[in-house]
Amino acid sequence: DTGVSQDPRHKITKRGQNVTFRCDPISEHNRLYWYRQTLGQGPEFLTYFQNEAQLEKSRLLSDRFSAERPKGSFSTLEIQRTEQGDSAMYLCASSLYWDTGELFFGEGSRLTVL
Amino acid sequence: EDQVTQSPEALRLQEGESSSLNCSYTVSGLRGLFWYRQDPGKGPEFLFTLYSAGEEKEKERLKATLTKKESFLHITAPKPEDSATYLCAVQARSGNQFYFGTGTSLTVIP
């Protein structure tokens, strides 16, 4: 297993368009997280899955954001009607044990909204 | 509200010059405090987990310590390859998410 993979690595879109990011976690990891990171800031929590169940969602996440994890495997994060403020790095992480803090991060999907 | 504050924002060291990074936290019941390293354009990479005050963890030139209000990441005789952003995160007993600080950008000059 080569780790957490994210696709696409870079996405440039125009304001108002929809975008979707995909995350493939490490195969035996049942926990999956999405974070957003802007320049000079730490990762900001967006949402968390345990298997296919979305157990927690940030209050900061507007209705334009939706995430799924069908069958508890890969996950998708969709942003509808993108805004310039959505420009950021979207990071996916997976873990086997939720209380050890050992999250395995992907290299991220960088979104630029023009 | 759970909060993590890291200082300094940026730190430049000469190779071999030891120093410490600080992480102050406020959390309603700490489950764990975590240190990560992040290289430019990459996702964070896990370093340490600390669970209780007085606990220490070491890895090569890095040593992490924890008190009831803060954690320190001590870097002994750093090398240029230690240059990165170091992130601190906490997890509360009541939740699943990890709260990250804004990080300390470390540059080690040869």
Side-chain angles (χ1 to χ4, degrees):
Chain A
D1 197 336
T2 56
V4 177
S5 63
Q6 293 188 242
D7 184 71
R9 293 292 313 281
H10 303 276
K11 178 71 177 178
I12 299 173
T13 191
K14 293 182 179 179
R15 188 177 54 187
Q17 298 294 305
N18 299 342
V19 296
T20 299
F21 301 115
R22 177 181 170 121
C23 171
D24 287 273
I26 294 172
S27 58
E28 64 267 27
H29 288 184
N30 57 355
R31 295 175 172 86
L32 186 146
Y33 301 78
W34 283 99
Y35 281 84
R36 176 172 62 189
Q37 187 174 28
T38 54
L39 197 62
Q41 300 297 311
E44 177 187 32
F45 172 78
L46 294 178
T47 191
Y48 158 71
F49 291 86
Q50 183 169 321
N51 299 312
E52 67 275 9
Q54 187 175 20
L55 297 185
E56 197 164 338
K57 189 174 175 181
S58 170
R59 293 176 304 214
L60 302 174
L61 214 58
S62 76
D63 292 342
R64 298 184 296 106
F65 287 71
S66 62
E68 294 183 340
R69 193 183 181 195
K71 302 179 183 178
S73 56
F74 71 92
S75 176
T76 58
L77 176 69
E78 182 183 16
I79 309 173
Q80 296 183 326
R81 305 181 303 282
T82 52
E83 302 173 355
Q84 288 186 325
D86 297 331
S87 295
M89 176 74 84
Y90 289 84
L91 293 166
C92 175
S94 69
S95 74
L96 188 57
Y97 304 107
W98 74 295
D99 59 348
T100 66
E102 190 166 4
L103 303 180
F104 292 80
F105 282 87
E107 298 204 332
S109 293
R110 180 167 295 284
L111 173 65
T112 302
V113 182
L114 301 176
Chain B
E1 182 178 302
D2 300 339
Q3 195 168 358
V4 178
T5 303
Q6 292 189 246
S7 62
E9 288 186 11
L11 182 63
R12 288 173 63 92
L13 299 173
Q14 289 292 134
E15 184 173 359
E17 180 187 0
S18 301
S19 188
S20 295
L21 314 182
N22 177 263
C23 171
S24 298
Y25 64 91
T26 304
V27 64
S28 52
L30 180 71
R31 177 175 295 278
L33 184 140
F34 316 97
W35 284 97
Y36 283 79
R37 168 191 172 127
Q38 186 172 26
D39 293 301
K42 305 274 189 178
E45 178 184 346
F46 172 78
L47 293 173
F48 302 112
T49 300
L50 300 166
Y51 292 107
S52 57
E55 190 174 0
E56 299 182 352
K57 292 275 179 72
E58 282 189 71
K59 180 180 179 179
E60 295 181 355
R61 295 176 293 281
L62 300 177
K63 178 180 176 180
T65 62
L66 181 64
T67 72
K68 288 187 177 179
K69 292 184 179 180
E70 57 191 350
S71 176
F72 293 93
L73 184 66
H74 307 277
I75 302 176
T76 302
K79 297 182 177 181
E81 53 262 41
D82 295 322
S83 297
T85 295
Y86 291 85
L87 295 164
C88 172
V90 298
Q91 186 186 35
R93 288 198 192 97
S94 59
N96 297 300
Q97 61 176 285
F98 299 83
Y99 293 94
F100 282 83
T102 55
T104 293
S105 176
L106 174 67
T107 302
V108 181
I109 304 161

